[in-house]
């Protein structure tokens, strides 16, 4: 099995070869099994620099590398130095057709595929410099479009919100029997966020499921000017994405006070309560001090409770913010509220009863 | 009350960064267990380090060692040498070398991730090679085809020695142990399946946490079951499959889209830079290799056709390579003797005159 492709020079990108002008390479014919097609191939290994302790090996055979237009060592695209999936995704976005590098599942098929002389997926484009340049040109125009009309993307989100609304309606039906009043009771919804509040813990809500915890942690630690890793546990964060809310607890009440002072933006609800606002990406997270503290159980013990809690909080937000808010979220929530009024007046009444006394307490 | 000067000072007093100290020896060498596992079969296979011919027995156990992120991490020899990869034994809490270890002894952070990013496509954060497909049980090093940042955490009941806890308590324990090992994206505990899914910000963190938390117990010192923890079975930490929840799928798509958009911007920037600053250098550095690579038969390229100089461009190794390339080119015109001729010419060069199976 000494075929010619194995005798061709290896396809290795410059990043793998390192900055040295001389690279001393070792060649071992039939030295290894290709990770993609499982056939033996001529293995090359080398050190990127004389001092480095790492031996870089070719992991896939030259044939598989040519088919995918990737480096044999790092398996990144030879032209753009990006992973294959990302490249295919990019190209399919630009050309508006589905480009995927299909990989065979069973061993026989893997070998068969590797012996064919084809270019797979995005390799057809990136292996040809002219085509790749065309793609880059198209990319440019797409990006310009994206930056110039950001409204269109907002429209998209609005569309998403519409479909969310339908789902939410379904969820309310589904989880109507779930009772979360005992959880809501413990959440400090009647508290007001002021800059001189002294509390170690804060309740966060209106957290979209797409916001990862680390983003919230980052923005809080940035606000307080602390580094997350070096200080270990100066803040602990629990986000329940199903319940769309969470809590943050600081190590000391000092930090809590600092946090309350640093949160500049606040909004006033219809009931005259203040809510701190944390801006992350496009969304706003509302903050309320939580003097009694919290645990993971504060957001519901089961998934059903979590989801129900998120629905109730959504409804509450609709009530709090009213229609004067320009954010689409509030708008869509308002719509839901109207729908609710038509469909289930009883639930609506029960809810408003629950929230009203609390508000009254506050005004007193 | 004494006035407090600043928040930083307040925090700085309690916690110190791993950069300020040397890594600790986690276990003394004499205390390390034998590398041969307890006998469960008749013959020992030294290649796989496993017993065969027998019932196999239960291979699940609770590791006697555990990584304690804060006290254990510190500087090692690897930090001086510019090492990229982490110590696998450190992650398992059983490195007996401490600061003399040539691998890194700390929890992967942003800097490490960015340094690793070039290699992580095919190697994990410990420098082990990934595979094309996942193992059937989703354990092991993982796949280079999928950027998986989510871990499946199973065996929770065994890790708690069947201690009865509320689902939220279990969730907070899982959250506590995993959040020490990297930036968390989200954690979800599925109470009716008694398993958890932990998504990290970076894949390297997931790789690290997978090794660090495998076969660990979820019991705390304060539990009365703590002394019997070795009687349980440790956590099973594996790679997660894709979340079937439609909302999660939509999120994933959005994420991918965002990632490709970011990549678009980066690619465009790169191509702009290239077109501006490579034009003069191209003329200045007309390397001989360039010519040869042009003269090669179609479909053959030494490397990518970027305008930078080719990898092997001068010096002893390079010249031989060029020689062989020239011969290759000649051979291409004469298809019949191409393989033999090229292989003969190649095996003459010092670059490749290592023994091979053909020569034996």
């Amino acid at each position: 099995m000494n075929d010619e492709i194995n005798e061709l020079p290896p396809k290795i990108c410059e990043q793998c070869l390192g900055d040295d002008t001389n690279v001393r390479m070792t060649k071992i014919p039939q030295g290894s099994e290709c990770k993609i097609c499982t056939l033996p191939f001529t293995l090359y290994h080398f050190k990127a620099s004389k001092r480095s302790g790492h031996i870089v090996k070719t992991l896939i055979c030259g044939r598989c590398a040519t088919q995918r237009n990737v480096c044999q060592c790092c398996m990144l695209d030879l032209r753009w130095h990006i992973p294959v999936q990302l490249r295919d995704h990019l190209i399919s976005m630009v050309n508006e057709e589905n480009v995927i590098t299909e990989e065979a599942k069973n061993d026989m098929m893997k070998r068969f595929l590797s012996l064919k002389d084809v270019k797979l997926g995005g390799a057809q484009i990136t292996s040809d410099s002219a085509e790749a340049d065309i793609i880059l040109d198209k990319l440019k125009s797409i990006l310009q479009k994206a930056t110039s009309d950001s409204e269109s993307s907002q429209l998209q989100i609005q569309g998403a919100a519409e479909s969310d609304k339908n789902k939410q309606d379904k969820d309310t039906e589904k989880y109507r029997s779930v009772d979360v009043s005992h959880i809501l009771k413990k959440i400090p919804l009647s508290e007001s966020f002021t800059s001189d509040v002294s509390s170690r813990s804060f309740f966060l809500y209106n957290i979209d499921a797409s916001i990862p915890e680390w983003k919230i942690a980052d923005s809080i630690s940035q606000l307080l000017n602390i580094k997350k890793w070096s200080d270990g546990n100066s803040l602990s964060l629990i986000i329940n994405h199903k319940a769309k809310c969470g809590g943050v607890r600081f190590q000391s009440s000092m930090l809590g006070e600092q946090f309350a002072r640093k949160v500049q933006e606040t909004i006033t609800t219809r009931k005259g309560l203040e809510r701190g606002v944390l801006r992350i990406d496009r969304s706003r997270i509302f903050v309320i001090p939580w003097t009694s503290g919290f645990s993971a159980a504060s957001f519901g013990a089961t998934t059903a409770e979590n989801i129900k809690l998120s629905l109730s909080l959504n409804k509450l937000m609709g009530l709090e913010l009213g229609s004067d808010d320009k954010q689409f979220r509030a708008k869509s929530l308002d719509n839901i509220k109207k729908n609710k009024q038509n469909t289930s007046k009883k639930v609506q009444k029960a809810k408003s009863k629950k929230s009203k006394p609390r508000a009254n307490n506050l005004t007193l | 009350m004494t006035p407090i000067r600043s928040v930083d000072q307040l925090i700085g007093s309690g916690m110190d960064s791993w950069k300020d100290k040397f890594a600790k020896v986690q276990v003394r060498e004499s205390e390390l267990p034998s590398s041969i596992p307890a006998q469960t079969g008749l013959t020992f296979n030294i290649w796989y380090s496993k017993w065969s011919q027998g019932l196999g027995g239960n291979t699940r156990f609770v590791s006697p060692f555990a990584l304690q992120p804060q006290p254990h991490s510190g500087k090692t020899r690897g930090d001086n040498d510019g090492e990229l990869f982490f110590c696998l034994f450190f992650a398992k809490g059983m490195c007996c070398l401490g600061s003399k270890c040539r691998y890194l002894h700390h929890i992967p952070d942003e800097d490490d991730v960015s340094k690793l990013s070039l290699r992580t496509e095919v190697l994990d954060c410990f420098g082990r090679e990934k595979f094309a497909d996942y193992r059937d049980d989703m354990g092991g090093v993982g796949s280079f085809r999928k950027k998986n940042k989510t871990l499946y955490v199973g065996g929770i009941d065994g890790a708690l020695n069947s201690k009865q806890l509320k689902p939220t308590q279990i969730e907070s324990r899982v959250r506590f142990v995993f959040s020490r090992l990297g930036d968390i994206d989200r954690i979800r505990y599925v109470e009716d399946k008694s398993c958890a899914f932990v998504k990290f910000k970076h894949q390297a963190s997931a790789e690290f946490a997978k090794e660090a938390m495998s076969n660990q117990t979820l019991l705390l010192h304060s539990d009365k079951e703590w002394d019997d923890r070795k009687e349980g079975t440790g956590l099973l930490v594996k790679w997660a499959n894709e979340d079937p929840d439609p909302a999660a799928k939509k999120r994933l798509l959005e994420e991918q889209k965002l990632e490709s958009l970011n990549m678009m911007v980066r690619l465009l920037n790169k191509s702009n830079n290239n077109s501006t600053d490579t034009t003069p250098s191209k003329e200045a550095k007309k390397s001989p290799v360039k010519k040869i690579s042009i003269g090669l038969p179609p479909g053959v390229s030494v490397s990518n056709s970027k305008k930078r100089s080719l990898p092997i461009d001068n010096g002893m190794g390079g010249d031989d390579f060029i020689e062989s390339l020239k011969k290759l080119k000649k051979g291409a015109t004469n298809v019949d003797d191409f393989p033999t001729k090229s292989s003969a010419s190649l095996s003459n060069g010092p670059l490749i005159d290592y023994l091979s199976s053909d020569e034996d």
Side-chain angles (χ1 to χ4, degrees):
Chain A
M1 268 263 321
N2 208 357
D3 41 357
E4 56 194 80
I5 190 104
N6 277 341
E7 301 308 331
L8 293 174
K11 290 170 85 74
I12 301 170
C13 67
E14 290 158 39
Q15 274 174 352
C16 289
L17 285 166
D19 300 328
D20 280 9
T21 44
N22 298 342
V23 181
R24 191 187 167 118
M25 247 190 226
T26 309
K27 176 192 176 191
I28 309 167
Q30 315 258 328
S32 178
E33 175 187 306
C34 168
K35 293 226 168 199
I36 290 178
C37 68
T38 71
L39 289 172
F41 71 101
T42 311
L43 171 76
Y44 291 87
H45 60 72
F46 58 93
K47 283 181 178 181
S49 71
K50 259 184 199 148
R51 300 271 297 143
S52 101
H54 289 290
I55 293 169
V56 184
K57 278 195 249 174
T58 53
L59 296 173
I60 55 171
C61 65
R63 267 191 308 263
C64 286
T66 338
Q67 281 180 355
R68 289 160 185 78
N69 193 38
V70 292
C71 163
Q72 276 185 272
C73 296
C74 64
M75 289 199 219
L76 299 176
D77 187 82
L78 278 175
R79 184 171 302 277
W80 292 337
H81 294 290
I82 58 174
V84 174
Q85 287 88 348
L86 189 58
R87 173 193 74 187
D88 290 350
H89 203 252
L90 236 161
I91 291 173
S92 43
M93 263 171 85
V94 172
N95 282 358
E96 280 163 5
E97 55 181 317
N98 208 9
V99 179
I100 28 168
T101 305
E102 259 186 81
E103 302 289 358
K105 282 273 181 293
N106 80 31
D107 275 10
M108 220 42 221
M109 206 54 206
K110 282 178 192 167
R111 288 173 213 173
F112 174 70
L113 197 71
S114 81
L115 295 171
K116 288 209 290 191
D117 186 24
V118 284
K119 295 261 183 218
L120 298 171
Q124 285 160 350
I125 285 159
T126 53
S127 57
D128 185 6
S129 68
E131 290 221 39
D133 286 344
I134 294 172
I135 289 284
L136 278 183
D137 283 342
K138 280 187 189 169
L139 275 185
K140 226 175 265 174
S141 59
I142 284 179
L143 278 179
Q144 268 159 3
K145 223 194 241 167
T147 45
S148 65
D149 50 27
S150 51
E151 304 100 63
S152 69
S153 55
Q154 235 160 19
L155 277 175
Q156 249 177 6
I157 288 169
Q158 211 145 20
E162 290 287 295
S163 66
D164 272 1
K165 194 191 80 187
N166 289 336
K167 208 189 153 256
Q168 267 185 344
D169 278 350
K170 238 183 253 168
D171 278 352
T172 16
E173 292 297 309
K174 201 173 155 192
Y175 296 105
R176 184 172 298 167
S177 58
V178 183
D179 181 35
V180 288
S181 54
H182 62 285
I183 300 166
L184 278 170
K185 229 179 271 170
K186 288 192 182 126
I187 290 174
L189 291 169
S190 53
E191 298 279 330
S192 194
F193 184 90
T194 46
S195 58
D196 56 343
V197 76
S198 83
S199 170
R200 271 178 60 195
S201 311
F202 292 87
F203 176 64
L204 312 168
Y205 65 112
N206 193 21
I207 297 169
D208 194 72
S210 64
I211 299 175
E213 271 187 53
W214 57 264
K215 253 188 197 163
I216 300 170
D218 273 356
S219 78
I220 292 177
S221 40
Q222 214 174 41
L223 210 64
L224 293 177
N225 210 1
I226 47 175
K227 267 194 209 143
K228 241 184 310 158
W229 273 116
S230 55
D231 62 30
N233 31 19
S234 67
L235 66 94
S236 69
L237 187 68
I238 296 180
I239 303 292
N240 195 319
H241 282 100
K242 282 271 180 246
K244 295 195 174 150
C245 60
V248 59
R249 185 191 295 120
F250 294 98
Q251 199 182 27
S252 60
S253 50
M254 240 278 302
L255 272 174
E257 283 163 29
Q258 184 113 351
F259 174 68
R261 247 176 289 138
K262 289 269 175 78
V263 174
Q264 299 285 335
E265 196 183 343
T266 55
I267 53 160
T268 316
T269 65
R270 287 187 156 182
K271 312 250 164 62
L273 296 171
E274 294 275 329
R275 300 280 190 254
V277 177
L278 265 181
R279 276 193 184 274
I280 289 166
D281 290 346
R282 272 220 181 111
S283 58
R284 299 178 301 174
I285 291 173
F286 300 130
V287 190
I288 318 176
W290 204 344
T291 37
S292 57
F294 64 91
S295 70
S298 309
F299 311 108
T302 61
T303 316
E305 283 185 359
N306 290 341
I307 294 170
K308 178 72 183 195
L309 179 63
S310 81
L311 293 172
S312 325
L313 280 172
N314 268 349
K315 200 179 279 176
L316 187 92
M317 249 157 19
L319 289 170
E320 276 183 346
L321 298 172
S323 52
D324 53 318
D325 195 272
K326 276 172 190 117
Q327 279 266 317
F328 69 88
R329 185 161 292 281
K331 254 187 205 168
S332 72
L333 280 167
D334 238 20
N335 289 342
I336 294 164
K337 206 178 79 192
K338 273 171 205 158
N339 280 0
K340 293 284 154 43
Q341 275 170 341
N342 298 336
T343 51
S344 56
K345 275 188 177 167
K346 272 184 191 170
V347 177
Q348 183 64 27
K349 265 183 189 168
K351 282 284 145 197
S352 53
K353 259 182 201 164
K354 250 177 222 159
S355 53
K356 258 176 193 163
R358 219 174 283 130
N360 289 342
N361 285 345
L362 235 155
T363 42
L364 291 169
Chain B
M1 260 185 61
T2 50
I4 297 156
R5 289 133 299 183
S6 83
V7 188
D8 298 337
Q9 274 169 317
L10 193 87
I11 301 156
S13 57
M15 298 289 174
D16 45 354
S17 155
W18 62 269
K19 281 172 188 156
D20 305 331
K21 57 177 185 188
F22 285 105
K24 240 187 182 166
V25 174
Q26 290 169 306
V27 211
R28 261 178 285 142
E29 203 176 345
S30 53
E31 284 166 16
L32 279 177
S34 154
S35 57
I36 299 173
Q39 182 166 1
T40 51
L42 292 174
T43 46
F44 187 68
N45 187 331
I46 53 167
W47 180 259
Y48 290 107
S49 177
K50 267 181 186 162
W51 289 93
S52 56
Q53 295 177 16
L55 289 169
N58 193 9
T59 49
R60 303 268 312 273
F61 62 99
V62 173
S63 163
F65 312 104
L67 168 70
Q68 291 167 304
Q70 275 290 339
H72 283 178
S73 42
K75 280 192 298 183
T76 59
R77 244 176 60 191
D79 285 297
N80 291 338
D81 301 347
E83 175 63 51
L84 292 171
F85 298 114
F86 291 86
C87 178
L88 179 62
F89 296 98
F90 164 74
K92 290 178 177 170
M94 52 190 290
C95 186
C96 61
L97 291 169
S99 57
K100 286 180 193 140
C101 186
R102 54 169 282 219
Y103 294 98
L104 304 179
H105 274 213
H106 60 264
I107 310 294
D109 54 27
E110 296 283 329
D111 296 344
D112 301 310
V113 170
S114 59
K115 271 186 232 157
L116 271 169
S117 64
L118 279 179
R119 298 293 199 75
T120 41
E121 207 54 35
V122 286
L123 303 176
D124 75 348
C125 71
F126 304 107
R128 303 179 294 182
E129 285 171 17
K130 293 182 194 173
F131 298 90
D133 301 305
Y134 282 109
R135 251 162 59 172
D136 285 343
D137 63 358
M138 297 301 277
V141 180
S143 158
F144 53 69
R145 293 224 174 105
K146 195 181 161 200
K147 208 161 194 181
N148 201 341
K149 300 171 186 170
T150 315
L151 294 177
Y152 159 89
V153 183
I156 289 177
D157 192 50
L160 286 166
N161 290 23
S162 308
K163 183 184 165 78
Q164 288 305 310
L165 284 176
K166 276 186 235 151
T168 44
Q169 284 176 306
I170 299 176
E171 189 186 334
S172 18
R173 282 188 187 202
V174 171
R175 182 183 290 276
F176 173 69
V177 290
F178 280 93
S179 59
R180 296 182 303 172
L181 301 171
D183 283 347
I184 300 286
D185 189 310
R186 65 197 69 224
I187 289 178
R188 183 157 150 62
Y189 176 67
V190 186
E191 64 265 19
D192 34 333
K193 296 266 166 31
S194 122
C195 67
F197 293 93
V198 182
K199 188 175 180 195
F200 285 91
K201 181 182 180 185
H202 300 292
Q203 197 181 3
S205 302
E207 285 157 0
F208 190 88
K210 183 173 172 296
E211 288 306 330
M213 287 316 297
S214 284
N215 300 318
Q216 293 292 337
T217 180
L218 274 182
L219 291 170
L220 305 172
H221 277 288
S222 50
D223 294 328
K224 62 177 192 295
E225 290 91 342
W226 172 257
D227 294 328
D228 304 325
R229 64 188 183 280
K230 279 175 196 161
E231 276 155 34
T233 50
L235 283 181
L236 268 179
V237 189
K238 297 168 171 182
W239 293 108
N241 284 311
E242 234 158 76
D243 194 345
D245 180 12
K249 275 186 184 164
K250 221 165 77 186
R251 240 180 1 241
L252 191 77
L253 273 178
E254 283 295 309
E255 246 171 66
Q256 277 179 349
K257 214 169 156 187
L258 199 75
E259 195 189 7
S260 2
L261 273 173
N262 284 338
M263 191 43 88
M264 277 184 192
V265 177
R266 240 181 293 165
L267 272 179
L268 279 179
N269 286 343
K270 224 162 97 182
S271 75
N272 285 349
N273 287 346
N274 265 5
S275 58
T276 50
D277 62 32
T278 48
T279 26
S281 70
K282 195 174 112 194
E283 274 155 30
K285 213 198 272 176
K286 257 194 171 177
S287 62
V289 196
K290 190 86 212 278
K291 277 185 214 153
I292 286 162
S293 73
I294 293 161
L296 276 174
V300 180
S301 63
V302 183
S303 158
N304 56 345
S305 51
K306 275 267 207 66
K307 274 127 205 160
R308 273 177 57 191
S309 64
L310 277 163
I312 316 140
D313 51 4
N314 48 23
M316 118 204 162
D319 282 344
D320 284 301
F321 220 96
I322 293 161
E323 279 294 311
S324 65
L325 281 173
K326 272 180 186 160
K327 275 174 192 160
L328 253 182
K329 191 188 149 200
K330 266 184 220 154
T333 53
N334 202 350
V335 186
D336 283 3
D337 60 356
F338 169 64
T340 50
K341 202 171 177 181
S342 64
S343 67
S345 70
L346 275 167
S347 57
N348 286 337
L351 181 77
I352 44 241
D353 78 359
Y354 282 76
L355 62 126
S356 66
S357 51
D358 308 69
E359 286 158 10
D360 297 348

